[in-house]
Amino acid sequence: MSHRYSSRRANQTGKMCVTLIVLALIGVMSVQIVNLYQKDQQLIAQEKLLQKQMETELSRQQEIEEYEAYTKTQEYVEEIAKSKLGLVYKDEIIFKEK
């Protein structure tokens, strides 16, 4: 009878240890899942910010390309010649304010 009692007691202790280990694993996994979810949300926010920055830079790049094309036109050359160098065409009349 004592052999059965000790066997039953050892069996209950073993079940209790397994249950505690399983609960500990569930607890650790739950914490890890929460951490991963938070990290995922941070990365999603960062991705949105980077996407917005990329759109801004692409728009800026387009403006620069348009300005570069403009600088190669006759209109730009005339504008700079007039504003920076004070040059005018022979038959052009300039009015200046006092």
Side-chain angles (χ1 to χ4, degrees):
M1 191 176 211
S2 69
H3 186 284
R4 279 185 166 174
Y5 179 72
S6 67
S7 176
R8 187 182 301 167
R9 182 144 176 112
N11 196 10
Q12 286 179 345
T13 304
K15 286 180 183 179
M16 187 65 111
C17 288
V18 169
T19 302
L20 289 175
I21 290 171
V22 168
L23 289 175
L25 287 174
I26 289 172
V28 169
M29 290 175 65
S30 296
V31 169
Q32 289 300 320
I33 288 170
V34 169
N35 287 341
L36 287 174
Y37 178 77
Q38 290 174 344
K39 180 78 170 177
D40 185 51
Q41 294 303 310
Q42 290 173 348
L43 291 174
I44 288 170
Q46 184 179 8
E47 180 183 21
K48 287 179 182 178
L49 176 65
L50 291 173
Q51 185 68 33
K52 189 173 181 179
Q53 287 176 348
M54 186 173 84
E55 290 170 3
T56 300
E57 290 303 316
L58 287 173
S59 174
R60 186 169 173 252
Q61 178 185 1
Q62 180 68 29
E63 290 174 6
I64 290 171
E65 288 171 357
E66 289 171 3
Y67 183 74
E68 180 183 18
Y70 172 68
T71 60
K72 296 177 182 176
T73 64
Q74 184 65 28
E75 180 184 355
Y76 175 78
V77 172
E78 289 176 3
E79 180 185 320
I80 296 299
K82 287 179 182 179
S83 66
K84 304 287 183 191
L85 304 174
L87 301 177
V88 294
Y89 285 109
K90 292 180 185 180
D91 59 346
E92 192 171 24
I93 300 172
I94 302 291
F95 295 99
K96 292 185 180 179
E97 285 187 41
K98 287 188 178 184

